[in-house]
Amino acid sequence: MAARRPASLGLVLALTVVGALVVALDQLVVATALPTLQRDLNASLTSLEWTVNAFSLSLAALMIPAAELGDRLGRRRTYLIGLVVFALASAGCALAPDIGVLIAARVLQGAGGAIIMPAALALLTAAAPAARRGAVMGIYAAFMGLAVVGGPLVGGAVTEGLAWQWIFWINVPVIAVVLPFIATRLTEMKGSPRRPDPLGLLLVAASMFGIVWALVRSGPAGWDSAEVLTTLIGGLVLLAAFVAWELRTPHPMLPMRLFTVREFAAGNASALMLTASLMSTVFFLAQYLQVAQGYSPLETGVRFLPFTLPLFFVAPVAGRLQDRIGPRSLISVGLTLQGVGLLWLAINAHDHRGYPASVAALFVAGFGTTMAMPAQQSSIMTSVPPASMGKAAGTFSATRQLGGALGIAILAAVFAAHGDDRSPQGFADGFSAAMVTAAGLAVVGAAVGLLAPGRRRAPAPAAHRAATAEKVGVG
């Protein structure tokens, strides 16, 4: 049998970006189609909310267990499984005859996405040489950011130009095209073999589910509701139990020593703040442009372009700079610029200025976001040995999901306290206060980024891997 010809770095990047991109895009692409879904499926507002929440809940709850699955079965194999599950679930969404079936299919989509995301990032990181890893992470981050801010544009364009079903159908041929290349060209890789940790898997999945449930329900149900308080407290207790168990068990699913590595801890903490600020901004900005400024869904998506364009140009450059100067400056300066842009946007909304006045603010915020994202990814993924890359990718992906839910929950509370959605002026007032809060989250992330390492001498690869493995307890 002929030996498998290894894929070039460019092909690995393309194959991993495709999977991660369809997952990231589908998390937000439904938002602009909600009015159409309500009409076509005769759905209530509450059930519409669950077309978004069902995806987010299963994605967040299963991310770390899915990374563990990849370590055991092989990351290429689980990547293939995740893509097949996601494609089948997408077809189920498109064929859904009612809102109940659509919600169930979205749960399955989230599960497929949870398998895809950590496997894709781990496969790419392992394939990238250390000297080029920052640049590669920059390109990967650019596409992930594009999915976040491009979701409203894609959703609006497809819904208005075709039908809402096509926001799901489009995933099927895209995945079908890449599956043969993934199966034949990507190299299989696994984590270190050890005993299963079923209690750890159960505790982390249940804790993430409880926390994210509380966050996504805090707006509709209220922070003081029994539902939110019970699930939030329960989730936090289960998270504490997970940490305690992982510290105690001789075969932890997620070694807690990873968090003693400064690059890993600072990268995840700053990513939590960046994603909280970014996802909540996209969520409220899409509504602000429609409710307060009167744009259609497609027009709204087009007006995200100043926020989107820096992703194409800045992220690859920032990734290359990260290889030279280290992640600290890029994370801190980038998140500071993100905060400045969002504060500028808040001032414009408070003064009821039109969209043209906010073009520069959106560009500054997008520029800063794009500086920080690849540095965070590279800081996390290069801080662990190859055997732990799946765990690092799963933790990073779960942190981002938690950050998005946290940011939207916080900004929703701020919005409700300062405005309403009953009039353009009321929405602008609430949006302004929410953007001040989003700017504050970004500034907190910038401060945390100061804990990330600056430029350091590159140790010999073998010595560096051995030292890192010993530090995190892997090997």
Side-chain angles (χ1 to χ4, degrees):
M1 181 181 292
R4 182 192 301 270
R5 184 161 57 95
S8 65
L9 180 57
L11 181 58
V12 175
L13 176 61
L15 294 176
T16 52
V17 159
V18 167
L21 185 60
V22 295
V23 177
L25 195 61
D26 268 48
Q27 188 165 14
L28 286 174
V29 76
V30 176
T32 47
L34 291 180
T36 306
L37 286 170
Q38 183 179 21
R39 182 183 65 249
D40 289 1
L41 299 179
N42 193 27
S44 67
L45 291 175
T46 301
S47 59
L48 281 176
E49 175 188 324
W50 281 104
T51 63
V52 178
N53 293 345
F55 184 96
S56 298
L57 281 168
S58 61
L59 187 68
L62 298 176
M63 196 79 74
I64 295 177
E68 173 71 4
L69 183 68
D71 284 348
R72 293 186 174 279
L73 296 183
R75 291 160 194 161
R76 177 176 62 86
R77 185 175 299 160
T78 53
Y79 188 41
L80 286 167
I81 292 171
L83 286 168
V84 171
V85 170
F86 198 86
L88 292 174
S90 297
C93 290
L95 294 170
D98 55 57
I99 195 67
V101 174
L102 178 59
I103 291 171
R106 289 284 283 172
V107 171
L108 189 60
Q109 256 197 328
I115 300 171
I116 290 169
M117 296 294 280
L121 187 53
L123 286 166
L124 177 61
T125 305
R132 299 178 62 189
R133 195 165 285 154
V136 171
M137 290 295 106
I139 297 171
Y140 185 88
F143 278 99
M144 294 305 97
L146 175 64
V148 172
V149 298
L153 174 59
V154 174
V158 172
T159 302
E160 287 190 21
L162 295 170
W164 66 263
Q165 288 87 348
W166 281 98
I167 63 179
F168 301 114
W169 275 129
I170 197 171
N171 297 325
V172 178
V174 170
I175 291 174
V177 167
V178 299
L179 282 177
F181 293 96
I182 294 169
T184 58
R185 301 299 304 277
L186 293 188
T187 302
E188 185 62 281
M189 56 181 298
K190 296 183 179 181
S192 299
R194 65 192 177 283
R195 293 180 186 175
D197 181 16
L199 182 57
L201 285 168
L202 179 63
L203 287 172
V204 73
S207 65
M208 289 297 101
F209 185 86
I211 292 170
V212 175
W213 181 291
L215 292 173
V216 300
R217 291 288 297 155
S218 60
W223 282 103
D224 57 350
S225 68
E227 174 192 356
V228 170
L229 289 175
T230 301
T231 51
L232 180 60
I233 294 171
L236 292 173
V237 169
L238 289 169
L239 181 61
F242 169 71
V243 173
W245 172 253
E246 295 299 287
L247 288 169
R248 177 183 177 184
T249 180
H251 305 285
M253 181 192 72
L254 179 62
M256 290 295 109
R257 290 184 184 179
L258 282 173
F259 294 95
T260 67
V261 181
R262 193 173 64 169
E263 297 97 315
F264 186 86
N268 276 295
S270 62
L272 179 76
M273 292 295 102
L274 182 148
T275 311
S277 178
L278 175 62
M279 294 288 283
S280 56
T281 296
V282 172
F283 180 81
F284 280 97
L285 180 60
Q287 298 178 70
Y288 169 72
L289 291 171
Q290 295 179 70
V291 176
Q293 302 210 347
Y295 295 110
S296 71
L298 179 57
E299 290 170 337
T300 294
V302 171
R303 279 156 181 80
F304 268 82
L305 287 175
F307 204 11
T308 309
L309 289 176
L311 295 165
F312 291 103
F313 308 108
V314 179
V317 176
R320 287 194 293 271
L321 281 175
Q322 203 275 147
D323 289 331
R324 298 180 180 179
I325 67 175
R328 181 192 302 154
S329 298
L330 291 170
I331 293 173
S332 295
V333 173
L335 279 164
T336 299
L337 287 174
Q338 181 182 347
V340 168
L342 296 180
L343 185 60
W344 188 354
L345 188 63
I347 293 170
N348 288 344
H350 179 269
D351 295 340
H352 302 290
R353 296 173 184 168
Y355 170 79
S358 295
V359 170
L362 289 170
F363 183 84
V364 170
F367 189 97
T369 302
T370 308
M371 282 183 66
M373 286 177 68
Q376 290 169 340
Q377 287 184 175
S378 185
S379 178
I380 293 165
M381 296 303 296
T382 58
S383 66
V384 300
S388 293
M389 283 181 179
K391 296 179 181 62
T395 303
F396 174 62
S397 299
T399 297
R400 292 181 64 208
Q401 294 305 312
L402 188 59
L406 177 65
I408 292 173
I410 292 173
L411 263 65
V414 172
F415 177 90
H418 294 85
D420 57 66
D421 58 0
R422 294 189 295 271
S423 68
Q425 182 170 347
F427 200 99
D429 292 340
F431 176 76
S432 177
M435 288 303 97
V436 171
T437 306
L441 293 171
V443 171
V444 171
V448 172
L450 293 173
L451 300 176
R455 185 182 180 184
R456 61 186 181 188
R457 294 176 184 172
H464 176 59
R465 286 196 296 269
T468 307
E470 181 179 358
K471 181 184 285 188
V472 301
V474 177

PDB file of all heavy atoms in Angstrom, residues 449-475:
ATOM      1  N   GLY A 449      -4.111  40.717  29.424  1.00  0.00           N
ATOM      2  CA  GLY A 449      -3.106  40.415  28.409  1.00  0.00           C
ATOM      3  C   GLY A 449      -1.700  40.810  28.814  1.00  0.00           C
ATOM      4  O   GLY A 449      -0.718  40.267  28.282  1.00  0.00           O
ATOM      5  N   LEU A 450      -1.572  41.744  29.760  1.00  0.00           N
ATOM      6  CA  LEU A 450      -0.246  42.132  30.238  1.00  0.00           C
ATOM      7  C   LEU A 450       0.464  40.986  30.948  1.00  0.00           C
ATOM      8  O   LEU A 450       1.683  41.000  31.117  1.00  0.00           O
ATOM      9  CB  LEU A 450      -0.361  43.338  31.187  1.00  0.00           C
ATOM     10  CG  LEU A 450      -0.813  44.653  30.548  1.00  0.00           C
ATOM     11  CD1 LEU A 450      -1.038  45.707  31.621  1.00  0.00           C
ATOM     12  CD2 LEU A 450       0.218  45.146  29.529  1.00  0.00           C
ATOM     13  N   LEU A 451      -0.307  39.980  31.378  1.00  0.00           N
ATOM     14  CA  LEU A 451       0.284  38.810  32.034  1.00  0.00           C
ATOM     15  C   LEU A 451       0.861  37.814  31.036  1.00  0.00           C
ATOM     16  O   LEU A 451       1.589  36.897  31.421  1.00  0.00           O
ATOM     17  CB  LEU A 451      -0.762  38.111  32.901  1.00  0.00           C
ATOM     18  CG  LEU A 451      -1.382  38.947  34.020  1.00  0.00           C
ATOM     19  CD1 LEU A 451      -2.479  38.150  34.723  1.00  0.00           C
ATOM     20  CD2 LEU A 451      -0.318  39.400  35.006  1.00  0.00           C
ATOM     21  N   ALA A 452       0.499  37.970  29.751  1.00  0.00           N
ATOM     22  CA  ALA A 452       1.048  37.085  28.725  1.00  0.00           C
ATOM     23  C   ALA A 452       2.532  37.392  28.543  1.00  0.00           C
ATOM     24  O   ALA A 452       2.994  38.497  28.841  1.00  0.00           O
ATOM     25  CB  ALA A 452       0.299  37.275  27.415  1.00  0.00           C
ATOM     26  N   PRO A 453       3.314  36.445  28.066  1.00  0.00           N
ATOM     27  CA  PRO A 453       4.752  36.670  27.930  1.00  0.00           C
ATOM     28  C   PRO A 453       5.079  37.606  26.782  1.00  0.00           C
ATOM     29  O   PRO A 453       4.344  37.695  25.797  1.00  0.00           O
ATOM     30  CB  PRO A 453       5.308  35.262  27.659  1.00  0.00           C
ATOM     31  CG  PRO A 453       4.175  34.541  27.017  1.00  0.00           C
ATOM     32  CD  PRO A 453       2.926  35.086  27.665  1.00  0.00           C
ATOM     33  N   GLY A 454       6.151  38.340  26.926  1.00  0.00           N
ATOM     34  CA  GLY A 454       6.676  39.122  25.826  1.00  0.00           C
ATOM     35  C   GLY A 454       7.565  38.246  24.967  1.00  0.00           C
ATOM     36  O   GLY A 454       7.496  37.024  25.005  1.00  0.00           O
ATOM     37  N   ARG A 455       8.407  38.876  24.200  1.00  0.00           N
ATOM     38  CA  ARG A 455       9.314  38.100  23.344  1.00  0.00           C
ATOM     39  C   ARG A 455      10.293  37.316  24.214  1.00  0.00           C
ATOM     40  O   ARG A 455      10.786  37.796  25.217  1.00  0.00           O
ATOM     41  CB  ARG A 455      10.084  39.043  22.425  1.00  0.00           C
ATOM     42  CG  ARG A 455      10.954  38.304  21.417  1.00  0.00           C
ATOM     43  CD  ARG A 455      11.730  39.278  20.568  1.00  0.00           C
ATOM     44  NE  ARG A 455      12.571  38.560  19.603  1.00  0.00           N
ATOM     45  CZ  ARG A 455      13.423  39.166  18.780  1.00  0.00           C
ATOM     46  NH1 ARG A 455      13.547  40.478  18.800  1.00  0.00           N
ATOM     47  NH2 ARG A 455      14.139  38.456  17.939  1.00  0.00           N
ATOM     48  N   ARG A 456      10.548  36.095  23.827  1.00  0.00           N
ATOM     49  CA  ARG A 456      11.504  35.286  24.558  1.00  0.00           C
ATOM     50  C   ARG A 456      12.370  34.525  23.579  1.00  0.00           C
ATOM     51  O   ARG A 456      11.983  34.282  22.441  1.00  0.00           O
ATOM     52  CB  ARG A 456      10.783  34.307  25.489  1.00  0.00           C
ATOM     53  CG  ARG A 456       9.896  33.331  24.764  1.00  0.00           C
ATOM     54  CD  ARG A 456       9.110  32.498  25.725  1.00  0.00           C
ATOM     55  NE  ARG A 456       8.272  31.549  25.016  1.00  0.00           N
ATOM     56  CZ  ARG A 456       7.370  30.789  25.599  1.00  0.00           C
ATOM     57  NH1 ARG A 456       7.187  30.871  26.896  1.00  0.00           N
ATOM     58  NH2 ARG A 456       6.649  29.954  24.896  1.00  0.00           N
ATOM     59  N   ARG A 457      13.500  34.116  24.032  1.00  0.00           N
ATOM     60  CA  ARG A 457      14.384  33.335  23.182  1.00  0.00           C
ATOM     61  C   ARG A 457      13.756  31.979  22.898  1.00  0.00           C
ATOM     62  O   ARG A 457      13.188  31.359  23.788  1.00  0.00           O
ATOM     63  CB  ARG A 457      15.733  33.128  23.872  1.00  0.00           C
ATOM     64  CG  ARG A 457      16.523  34.416  24.059  1.00  0.00           C
ATOM     65  CD  ARG A 457      17.791  34.114  24.833  1.00  0.00           C
ATOM     66  NE  ARG A 457      18.530  35.336  25.113  1.00  0.00           N
ATOM     67  CZ  ARG A 457      19.590  35.374  25.904  1.00  0.00           C
ATOM     68  NH1 ARG A 457      20.022  34.266  26.497  1.00  0.00           N
ATOM     69  NH2 ARG A 457      20.218  36.521  26.112  1.00  0.00           N
ATOM     70  N   ALA A 458      13.884  31.547  21.682  1.00  0.00           N
ATOM     71  CA  ALA A 458      13.329  30.240  21.313  1.00  0.00           C
ATOM     72  C   ALA A 458      14.269  29.151  21.795  1.00  0.00           C
ATOM     73  O   ALA A 458      15.414  29.069  21.370  1.00  0.00           O
ATOM     74  CB  ALA A 458      13.140  30.139  19.794  1.00  0.00           C
ATOM     75  N   PRO A 459      13.796  28.288  22.701  1.00  0.00           N
ATOM     76  CA  PRO A 459      14.651  27.198  23.153  1.00  0.00           C
ATOM     77  C   PRO A 459      14.752  26.122  22.078  1.00  0.00           C
ATOM     78  O   PRO A 459      13.999  26.101  21.112  1.00  0.00           O
ATOM     79  CB  PRO A 459      13.914  26.666  24.389  1.00  0.00           C
ATOM     80  CG  PRO A 459      12.483  26.986  24.122  1.00  0.00           C
ATOM     81  CD  PRO A 459      12.474  28.242  23.314  1.00  0.00           C
ATOM     82  N   ALA A 460      15.687  25.226  22.296  1.00  0.00           N
ATOM     83  CA  ALA A 460      15.771  24.092  21.381  1.00  0.00           C
ATOM     84  C   ALA A 460      14.469  23.333  21.422  1.00  0.00           C
ATOM     85  O   ALA A 460      13.916  23.105  22.503  1.00  0.00           O
ATOM     86  CB  ALA A 460      16.920  23.171  21.799  1.00  0.00           C
ATOM     87  N   PRO A 461      13.907  22.928  20.268  1.00  0.00           N
ATOM     88  CA  PRO A 461      12.573  22.319  20.248  1.00  0.00           C
ATOM     89  C   PRO A 461      12.420  21.158  21.194  1.00  0.00           C
ATOM     90  O   PRO A 461      11.450  21.068  21.934  1.00  0.00           O
ATOM     91  CB  PRO A 461      12.414  21.883  18.774  1.00  0.00           C
ATOM     92  CG  PRO A 461      13.314  22.813  18.010  1.00  0.00           C
ATOM     93  CD  PRO A 461      14.468  23.080  18.914  1.00  0.00           C
ATOM     94  N   ALA A 462      13.378  20.227  21.214  1.00  0.00           N
ATOM     95  CA  ALA A 462      13.236  19.057  22.072  1.00  0.00           C
ATOM     96  C   ALA A 462      13.255  19.449  23.532  1.00  0.00           C
ATOM     97  O   ALA A 462      12.456  18.968  24.342  1.00  0.00           O
ATOM     98  CB  ALA A 462      14.358  18.061  21.777  1.00  0.00           C
ATOM     99  N   ALA A 463      14.178  20.366  23.895  1.00  0.00           N
ATOM    100  CA  ALA A 463      14.253  20.792  25.288  1.00  0.00           C
ATOM    101  C   ALA A 463      13.000  21.535  25.694  1.00  0.00           C
ATOM    102  O   ALA A 463      12.500  21.388  26.813  1.00  0.00           O
ATOM    103  CB  ALA A 463      15.485  21.687  25.474  1.00  0.00           C
ATOM    104  N   HIS A 464      12.472  22.372  24.776  1.00  0.00           N
ATOM    105  CA  HIS A 464      11.256  23.128  25.097  1.00  0.00           C
ATOM    106  C   HIS A 464      10.077  22.195  25.313  1.00  0.00           C
ATOM    107  O   HIS A 464       9.309  22.352  26.253  1.00  0.00           O
ATOM    108  CB  HIS A 464      10.953  24.102  23.947  1.00  0.00           C
ATOM    109  CG  HIS A 464       9.681  24.856  24.133  1.00  0.00           C
ATOM    110  ND1 HIS A 464       9.436  25.657  25.212  1.00  0.00           N
ATOM    111  CD2 HIS A 464       8.566  24.904  23.358  1.00  0.00           C
ATOM    112  CE1 HIS A 464       8.237  26.182  25.111  1.00  0.00           C
ATOM    113  NE2 HIS A 464       7.682  25.741  24.001  1.00  0.00           N
ATOM    114  N   ARG A 465       9.941  21.176  24.442  1.00  0.00           N
ATOM    115  CA  ARG A 465       8.826  20.246  24.599  1.00  0.00           C
ATOM    116  C   ARG A 465       8.935  19.476  25.903  1.00  0.00           C
ATOM    117  O   ARG A 465       7.940  19.260  26.598  1.00  0.00           O
ATOM    118  CB  ARG A 465       8.781  19.278  23.412  1.00  0.00           C
ATOM    119  CG  ARG A 465       8.259  19.906  22.123  1.00  0.00           C
ATOM    120  CD  ARG A 465       7.892  18.818  21.137  1.00  0.00           C
ATOM    121  NE  ARG A 465       9.053  18.043  20.739  1.00  0.00           N
ATOM    122  CZ  ARG A 465       9.819  18.324  19.676  1.00  0.00           C
ATOM    123  NH1 ARG A 465       9.542  19.370  18.924  1.00  0.00           N
ATOM    124  NH2 ARG A 465      10.846  17.559  19.369  1.00  0.00           N
ATOM    125  N   ALA A 466      10.150  19.076  26.244  1.00  0.00           N
ATOM    126  CA  ALA A 466      10.325  18.310  27.474  1.00  0.00           C
ATOM    127  C   ALA A 466      10.023  19.180  28.695  1.00  0.00           C
ATOM    128  O   ALA A 466       9.357  18.734  29.647  1.00  0.00           O
ATOM    129  CB  ALA A 466      11.762  17.781  27.555  1.00  0.00           C
ATOM    130  N   ALA A 467      10.492  20.441  28.667  1.00  0.00           N
ATOM    131  CA  ALA A 467      10.251  21.325  29.812  1.00  0.00           C
ATOM    132  C   ALA A 467       8.767  21.623  29.970  1.00  0.00           C
ATOM    133  O   ALA A 467       8.229  21.631  31.083  1.00  0.00           O
ATOM    134  CB  ALA A 467      11.038  22.629  29.629  1.00  0.00           C
ATOM    135  N   THR A 468       8.091  21.862  28.833  1.00  0.00           N
ATOM    136  CA  THR A 468       6.660  22.163  28.915  1.00  0.00           C
ATOM    137  C   THR A 468       5.871  20.956  29.377  1.00  0.00           C
ATOM    138  O   THR A 468       4.948  21.059  30.184  1.00  0.00           O
ATOM    139  CB  THR A 468       6.137  22.629  27.531  1.00  0.00           C
ATOM    140  OG1 THR A 468       6.953  23.683  27.078  1.00  0.00           O
ATOM    141  CG2 THR A 468       4.702  23.112  27.643  1.00  0.00           C
ATOM    142  N   ALA A 469       6.217  19.778  28.863  1.00  0.00           N
ATOM    143  CA  ALA A 469       5.522  18.566  29.274  1.00  0.00           C
ATOM    144  C   ALA A 469       5.668  18.341  30.768  1.00  0.00           C
ATOM    145  O   ALA A 469       4.713  17.963  31.457  1.00  0.00           O
ATOM    146  CB  ALA A 469       6.064  17.360  28.513  1.00  0.00           C
ATOM    147  N   GLU A 470       6.876  18.598  31.280  1.00  0.00           N
ATOM    148  CA  GLU A 470       7.079  18.410  32.715  1.00  0.00           C
ATOM    149  C   GLU A 470       6.267  19.431  33.498  1.00  0.00           C
ATOM    150  O   GLU A 470       5.672  19.127  34.540  1.00  0.00           O
ATOM    151  CB  GLU A 470       8.556  18.566  33.046  1.00  0.00           C
ATOM    152  CG  GLU A 470       8.864  18.355  34.527  1.00  0.00           C
ATOM    153  CD  GLU A 470      10.348  18.486  34.821  1.00  0.00           C
ATOM    154  OE1 GLU A 470      11.132  18.694  33.863  1.00  0.00           O
ATOM    155  OE2 GLU A 470      10.712  18.411  35.999  1.00  0.00           O
ATOM    156  N   LYS A 471       6.181  20.678  32.980  1.00  0.00           N
ATOM    157  CA  LYS A 471       5.460  21.730  33.695  1.00  0.00           C
ATOM    158  C   LYS A 471       3.982  21.418  33.828  1.00  0.00           C
ATOM    159  O   LYS A 471       3.366  21.668  34.847  1.00  0.00           O
ATOM    160  CB  LYS A 471       5.645  23.079  32.957  1.00  0.00           C
ATOM    161  CG  LYS A 471       4.945  24.235  33.653  1.00  0.00           C
ATOM    162  CD  LYS A 471       5.051  25.524  32.850  1.00  0.00           C
ATOM    163  CE  LYS A 471       6.420  26.136  32.925  1.00  0.00           C
ATOM    164  NZ  LYS A 471       6.464  27.485  32.307  1.00  0.00           N
ATOM    165  N   VAL A 472       3.372  20.877  32.767  1.00  0.00           N
ATOM    166  CA  VAL A 472       1.933  20.628  32.792  1.00  0.00           C
ATOM    167  C   VAL A 472       1.584  19.198  33.187  1.00  0.00           C
ATOM    168  O   VAL A 472       0.429  18.807  33.177  1.00  0.00           O
ATOM    169  CB  VAL A 472       1.281  20.957  31.432  1.00  0.00           C
ATOM    170  CG1 VAL A 472       1.518  22.403  31.086  1.00  0.00           C
ATOM    171  CG2 VAL A 472       1.795  20.052  30.332  1.00  0.00           C
ATOM    172  N   GLY A 473       2.577  18.435  33.467  1.00  0.00           N
ATOM    173  CA  GLY A 473       2.313  17.072  33.934  1.00  0.00           C
ATOM    174  C   GLY A 473       1.908  16.122  32.844  1.00  0.00           C
ATOM    175  O   GLY A 473       1.067  15.264  33.041  1.00  0.00           O
ATOM    176  N   VAL A 474       2.447  16.285  31.636  1.00  0.00           N
ATOM    177  CA  VAL A 474       2.125  15.406  30.517  1.00  0.00           C
ATOM    178  C   VAL A 474       3.416  14.771  30.039  1.00  0.00           C
ATOM    179  O   VAL A 474       4.458  15.409  29.977  1.00  0.00           O
ATOM    180  CB  VAL A 474       1.474  16.194  29.356  1.00  0.00           C
ATOM    181  CG1 VAL A 474       1.225  15.286  28.190  1.00  0.00           C
ATOM    182  CG2 VAL A 474       0.204  16.837  29.828  1.00  0.00           C
ATOM    183  N   GLY A 475       3.310  13.556  29.608  1.00  0.00           N
ATOM    184  CA  GLY A 475       4.514  12.974  29.060  1.00  0.00           C
ATOM    185  C   GLY A 475       4.551  11.499  29.307  1.00  0.00           C
ATOM    186  O   GLY A 475       3.727  10.951  29.983  1.00  0.00           O
TER     187      GLY A 475
END
